[in-house]
Amino acid sequence: MTTHARKPASPTSLSPGRFRLPDIPEREPDEVTQFDELFKTGRSHALAVHLGNPETTLVEADRWIIAEPGTYRDLGRYPDLLVAFGVDPSAYEASNGYVISEQGKPPDFVLEVASVSTADTDTGAKRDDYARLGIPEYWRFDKTGQHHGTRLAGDRLENGVYVPIDIDELSADVLQGYSEALGLYLRWERGELGWHDPATGRHIATFDTERARADAERAARMQAEERIRELEARLSQQDN
Protein backbone atom coordinates (compact mmCIF):
# COMPACT_ATOMS: atom_id res chain seq x y z
CA MET A 1 0.00 0.00 0.00
CA THR A 2 1.30 3.44 -0.93
CA THR A 3 1.16 6.18 1.69
CA HIS A 4 1.53 9.92 1.22
CA ALA A 5 2.51 12.10 4.16
CA ARG A 6 1.25 15.43 2.82
CA LYS A 7 -0.53 17.74 5.26
CA PRO A 8 -4.32 17.69 4.79
CA ALA A 9 -6.20 20.84 3.92
CA SER A 10 -7.96 22.71 6.71
CA PRO A 11 -11.53 21.54 7.36
CA THR A 12 -14.20 23.60 5.63
CA SER A 13 -17.46 24.80 7.16
CA LEU A 14 -20.41 22.61 6.21
CA SER A 15 -23.05 25.25 6.98
CA PRO A 16 -26.27 25.08 4.92
CA GLY A 17 -25.56 28.36 3.11
CA ARG A 18 -22.08 27.41 1.83
CA PHE A 19 -21.19 27.31 -1.86
CA ARG A 20 -22.19 24.09 -3.63
CA LEU A 21 -21.60 23.10 -7.25
CA PRO A 22 -24.45 21.83 -9.42
CA ASP A 23 -24.44 18.25 -10.62
CA ILE A 24 -22.54 17.61 -13.85
CA PRO A 25 -24.47 17.48 -17.15
CA GLU A 26 -26.02 14.17 -18.13
CA ARG A 27 -23.45 12.02 -19.90
CA GLU A 28 -23.80 10.81 -23.47
CA PRO A 29 -24.86 7.14 -23.87
CA ASP A 30 -21.51 6.12 -25.37
CA GLU A 31 -19.67 7.32 -22.25
CA VAL A 32 -20.47 3.99 -20.59
CA THR A 33 -16.82 3.21 -21.42
CA GLN A 34 -15.90 5.03 -18.21
CA PHE A 35 -18.13 2.76 -16.15
CA ASP A 36 -16.92 -0.37 -17.93
CA GLU A 37 -13.22 0.37 -17.46
CA LEU A 38 -13.18 1.85 -13.96
CA PHE A 39 -16.21 0.96 -11.88
CA LYS A 40 -17.84 -2.25 -13.11
CA THR A 41 -14.46 -3.98 -12.84
CA GLY A 42 -13.66 -2.46 -9.44
CA ARG A 43 -10.44 -0.83 -10.71
CA SER A 44 -11.18 2.53 -9.12
CA HIS A 45 -12.00 0.84 -5.80
CA ALA A 46 -8.82 -1.24 -6.00
CA LEU A 47 -6.80 1.94 -6.54
CA ALA A 48 -8.45 3.63 -3.57
CA VAL A 49 -7.71 0.64 -1.33
CA HIS A 50 -4.09 0.52 -2.52
CA LEU A 51 -3.49 4.23 -1.92
CA GLY A 52 -5.12 4.14 1.50
CA ASN A 53 -5.52 7.16 3.82
CA PRO A 54 -9.21 7.81 3.00
CA GLU A 55 -9.28 10.65 5.54
CA THR A 56 -6.99 12.74 3.30
CA THR A 57 -7.04 10.98 -0.09
CA LEU A 58 -9.67 11.32 -2.80
CA VAL A 59 -10.24 8.75 -5.55
CA GLU A 60 -13.37 10.11 -7.21
CA ALA A 61 -15.16 10.83 -10.48
CA ASP A 62 -18.06 12.61 -12.13
CA ARG A 63 -17.89 15.89 -10.19
CA TRP A 64 -16.53 19.28 -11.18
CA ILE A 65 -12.96 20.47 -10.77
CA ILE A 66 -12.88 24.28 -10.63
CA ALA A 67 -10.36 26.91 -9.54
CA GLU A 68 -12.65 28.77 -7.14
CA PRO A 69 -16.37 29.19 -6.40
CA GLY A 70 -18.44 30.47 -9.29
CA THR A 71 -15.94 29.67 -12.06
CA TYR A 72 -17.25 26.31 -13.33
CA ARG A 73 -18.90 27.90 -16.36
CA ASP A 74 -15.60 29.51 -17.42
CA LEU A 75 -13.09 26.81 -16.48
CA GLY A 76 -14.43 23.59 -15.09
CA ARG A 77 -14.10 19.92 -15.99
CA TYR A 78 -15.42 16.64 -14.60
CA PRO A 79 -12.87 13.84 -15.25
CA ASP A 80 -13.53 10.12 -15.42
CA LEU A 81 -11.14 9.67 -12.50
CA LEU A 82 -9.55 12.09 -10.04
CA VAL A 83 -6.89 11.39 -7.39
CA ALA A 84 -5.81 13.96 -4.80
CA PHE A 85 -3.58 13.52 -1.75
CA GLY A 86 -3.51 15.63 1.40
CA VAL A 87 -6.98 17.10 0.93
CA ASP A 88 -10.31 17.34 2.74
CA PRO A 89 -12.87 14.78 1.47
CA SER A 90 -15.63 16.37 3.56
CA ALA A 91 -15.17 19.66 1.71
CA TYR A 92 -15.32 17.78 -1.60
CA GLU A 93 -18.64 16.25 -0.58
CA ALA A 94 -20.04 19.51 0.77
CA SER A 95 -19.10 21.42 -2.40
CA ASN A 96 -20.24 18.58 -4.69
CA GLY A 97 -16.87 18.80 -6.41
CA TYR A 98 -13.21 19.75 -6.19
CA VAL A 99 -12.65 23.47 -5.56
CA ILE A 100 -8.92 24.19 -5.80
CA SER A 101 -9.05 27.36 -3.69
CA GLU A 102 -10.89 25.43 -0.99
CA GLN A 103 -8.53 22.44 -0.98
CA GLY A 104 -5.40 24.56 -1.27
CA LYS A 105 -3.99 22.61 -4.25
CA PRO A 106 -5.08 21.03 -7.54
CA PRO A 107 -5.77 17.30 -7.79
CA ASP A 108 -2.59 15.29 -8.35
CA PHE A 109 -3.91 13.08 -11.15
CA VAL A 110 -6.80 12.92 -13.61
CA LEU A 111 -7.72 10.27 -16.18
CA GLU A 112 -10.10 10.28 -19.13
CA VAL A 113 -11.42 7.11 -20.80
CA ALA A 114 -12.03 7.43 -24.54
CA SER A 115 -15.48 7.54 -26.07
CA VAL A 116 -16.70 8.73 -29.46
CA SER A 117 -18.43 11.81 -28.04
CA THR A 118 -15.47 13.00 -25.93
CA ALA A 119 -12.42 11.96 -27.96
CA ASP A 120 -11.61 15.34 -29.52
CA THR A 121 -12.16 17.18 -26.25
CA ASP A 122 -10.01 14.71 -24.29
CA THR A 123 -7.00 15.34 -26.51
CA GLY A 124 -7.62 19.06 -27.04
CA ALA A 125 -9.60 21.41 -24.81
CA LYS A 126 -9.47 19.21 -21.70
CA ARG A 127 -5.70 18.94 -21.95
CA ASP A 128 -5.43 22.72 -22.10
CA ASP A 129 -7.87 23.25 -19.24
CA TYR A 130 -6.24 20.68 -16.94
CA ALA A 131 -2.91 22.42 -17.52
CA ARG A 132 -4.49 25.82 -16.69
CA LEU A 133 -5.89 24.30 -13.50
CA GLY A 134 -2.36 23.20 -12.57
CA ILE A 135 -3.02 19.45 -12.43
CA PRO A 136 0.39 17.69 -12.37
CA GLU A 137 -0.60 14.62 -14.41
CA TYR A 138 -3.24 14.06 -17.08
CA TRP A 139 -3.72 10.53 -18.49
CA ARG A 140 -5.83 9.12 -21.32
CA PHE A 141 -6.87 5.49 -21.88
CA ASP A 142 -8.35 4.22 -25.14
CA LYS A 143 -9.37 0.57 -25.36
CA THR A 144 -8.89 0.43 -29.14
CA GLY A 145 -6.71 3.44 -29.89
CA GLN A 146 -9.25 4.59 -32.47
CA HIS A 147 -10.58 7.61 -30.56
CA HIS A 148 -7.53 9.25 -28.96
CA GLY A 149 -5.19 8.15 -31.74
CA THR A 150 -3.18 6.13 -29.22
CA ARG A 151 -4.11 3.47 -26.66
CA LEU A 152 -2.36 5.02 -23.64
CA ALA A 153 -1.01 8.53 -23.13
CA GLY A 154 0.04 10.68 -20.21
CA ASP A 155 1.27 14.22 -19.69
CA ARG A 156 3.26 15.73 -16.83
CA LEU A 157 3.08 19.45 -16.06
CA GLU A 158 6.42 21.25 -16.37
CA ASN A 159 6.55 25.04 -16.02
CA GLY A 160 2.84 25.26 -16.72
CA VAL A 161 3.01 23.17 -19.90
CA TYR A 162 2.18 19.49 -20.37
CA VAL A 163 5.07 17.32 -21.53
CA PRO A 164 4.31 13.77 -22.77
CA ILE A 165 5.22 10.91 -20.43
CA ASP A 166 7.18 8.06 -22.01
CA ILE A 167 5.03 5.06 -22.89
CA ASP A 168 6.88 1.75 -23.20
CA GLU A 169 5.70 -1.09 -25.43
CA LEU A 170 6.42 -4.23 -23.40
CA SER A 171 4.84 -6.44 -26.07
CA ALA A 172 2.24 -6.19 -28.80
CA ASP A 173 -0.40 -6.55 -26.09
CA VAL A 174 1.06 -4.44 -23.29
CA LEU A 175 1.84 -0.71 -23.04
CA GLN A 176 2.78 1.08 -19.85
CA GLY A 177 3.76 4.50 -18.53
CA TYR A 178 4.88 5.54 -15.05
CA SER A 179 2.80 7.88 -12.93
CA GLU A 180 4.98 9.78 -10.46
CA ALA A 181 1.81 11.06 -8.79
CA LEU A 182 0.55 7.55 -7.98
CA GLY A 183 3.86 5.72 -7.76
CA LEU A 184 2.37 3.14 -10.15
CA TYR A 185 2.56 2.11 -13.78
CA LEU A 186 -0.60 2.55 -15.82
CA ARG A 187 -0.97 -0.34 -18.23
CA TRP A 188 -2.93 -0.90 -21.40
CA GLU A 189 -3.01 -4.69 -21.47
CA ARG A 190 -5.04 -6.45 -24.16
CA GLY A 191 -7.44 -3.53 -24.15
CA GLU A 192 -7.85 -3.44 -20.35
CA LEU A 193 -6.67 -0.80 -17.89
CA GLY A 194 -4.36 -1.93 -15.09
CA TRP A 195 -2.36 -0.50 -12.19
CA HIS A 196 1.04 -2.15 -11.84
CA ASP A 197 3.10 -1.72 -8.68
CA PRO A 198 6.88 -1.47 -9.33
CA ALA A 199 7.53 -2.27 -5.65
CA THR A 200 6.06 -5.77 -5.98
CA GLY A 201 6.33 -6.33 -9.73
CA ARG A 202 2.63 -7.24 -9.79
CA HIS A 203 -0.69 -5.57 -10.46
CA ILE A 204 -2.34 -4.13 -7.37
CA ALA A 205 -4.95 -6.32 -5.74
CA THR A 206 -8.39 -6.33 -7.36
CA PHE A 207 -11.60 -8.27 -6.79
CA ASP A 208 -10.52 -10.80 -9.42
CA THR A 209 -6.95 -11.30 -8.18
CA GLU A 210 -8.06 -11.63 -4.56
CA ARG A 211 -10.68 -14.20 -5.55
CA ALA A 212 -8.12 -16.09 -7.63
CA ARG A 213 -5.68 -16.04 -4.71
CA ALA A 214 -8.35 -17.35 -2.34
CA ASP A 215 -9.32 -20.08 -4.83
CA ALA A 216 -5.68 -21.12 -5.22
CA GLU A 217 -5.16 -21.24 -1.46
CA ARG A 218 -8.33 -23.30 -1.01
CA ALA A 219 -7.26 -25.75 -3.76
CA ALA A 220 -3.79 -26.09 -2.21
CA ARG A 221 -5.31 -26.74 1.22
CA MET A 222 -7.64 -29.40 -0.16
CA GLN A 223 -4.73 -31.10 -1.93
CA ALA A 224 -2.70 -31.08 1.27
CA GLU A 225 -5.59 -32.54 3.24
CA GLU A 226 -6.06 -35.27 0.62
CA ARG A 227 -2.36 -36.18 0.81
CA ILE A 228 -2.62 -36.44 4.61
CA ARG A 229 -5.63 -38.75 4.31
CA GLU A 230 -3.79 -40.93 1.81
CA LEU A 231 -0.75 -41.11 4.06
CA GLU A 232 -2.88 -42.00 7.08
CA ALA A 233 -4.59 -44.73 5.05
CA ARG A 234 -1.24 -46.25 4.00
CA LEU A 235 0.07 -46.16 7.60
CA SER A 236 -3.12 -47.84 8.79
CA GLN A 237 -2.69 -50.62 6.26
CA GLN A 238 0.93 -51.14 7.35
CA ASP A 239 -0.16 -51.42 10.97
CA ASN A 240 -2.67 -54.10 10.05
Side-chain angles (χ1 to χ4, degrees):
M1 180 180 292
T2 302
T3 59
H4 297 263
R6 302 180 186 182
K7 183 180 179 181
S10 300
T12 302
S13 171
L14 304 183
S15 61
R18 78 188 306 280
F19 168 79
R20 183 172 173 83
L21 283 157
D23 291 339
I24 65 170
E26 184 176 349
R27 286 184 173 271
E28 297 293 331
D30 72 300
E31 292 185 70
V32 71
T33 53
Q34 173 217 31
F35 175 79
D36 289 343
E37 294 299 332
L38 294 171
F39 305 109
K40 184 172 74 174
T41 58
R43 290 189 181 99
S44 59
H45 175 74
L47 180 62
V49 171
H50 175 81
L51 295 175
N53 301 321
E55 299 83 3
T56 59
T57 299
L58 280 171
V59 180
E60 290 286 348
D62 284 344
R63 293 188 186 181
W64 292 99
I65 302 173
I66 65 170
E68 56 188 5
T71 62
Y72 75 95
R73 295 185 185 278
D74 301 318
L75 179 58
R77 291 293 178 183
Y78 41 95
D80 291 333
L81 186 67
L82 168 159
V83 178
F85 303 108
V87 294
D88 182 6
S90 66
Y92 178 84
E93 291 295 329
S95 295
N96 197 34
Y98 195 103
V99 183
I100 293 173
S101 63
E102 187 174 67
Q103 297 288 358
K105 60 185 283 286
D108 297 272
F109 172 103
V110 294
L111 170 77
E112 298 286 359
V113 177
S115 64
V116 174
S117 61
T118 66
D120 291 342
T121 308
D122 289 347
T123 57
K126 281 184 187 176
R127 188 174 185 269
D128 295 338
D129 287 347
Y130 288 143
R132 289 169 61 195
L133 289 168
I135 297 170
E137 285 188 6
Y138 171 39
W139 288 82
R140 295 169 299 286
F141 175 84
D142 187 340
K143 189 178 187 72
T144 65
Q146 296 175 350
H147 305 308
H148 287 164
T150 186
R151 294 170 290 179
L152 180 67
D155 291 300
R156 186 170 292 119
L157 198 64
E158 296 183 6
N159 299 318
V161 177
Y162 275 138
V163 176
I165 295 170
D166 291 337
I167 303 298
D168 299 318
E169 185 171 354
L170 304 186
S171 70
D173 296 324
V174 182
L175 301 174
Q176 76 172 18
Y178 183 67
S179 167
E180 292 182 357
L182 303 183
L184 297 170
Y185 285 105
L186 274 72
R187 280 195 175 180
W188 182 101
E189 189 163 355
R190 298 177 181 87
E192 303 297 328
L193 175 65
W195 317 104
H196 194 269
D197 188 353
T200 64
R202 298 189 299 271
H203 283 80
I204 66 174
T206 64
F207 296 147
D208 290 339
T209 59
E210 288 300 288
R211 183 166 55 246
R213 181 183 61 80
D215 290 345
E217 289 178 353
R218 183 166 55 252
R221 184 171 61 253
M222 293 175 64
Q223 290 176 356
E225 291 172 352
E226 180 63 24
R227 287 195 296 270
I228 291 172
R229 286 193 292 269
E230 291 174 353
L231 179 59
E232 291 175 341
R234 287 199 299 270
L235 291 173
S236 178
Q237 291 174 354
Q238 291 174 3
D239 293 340
N240 293 334

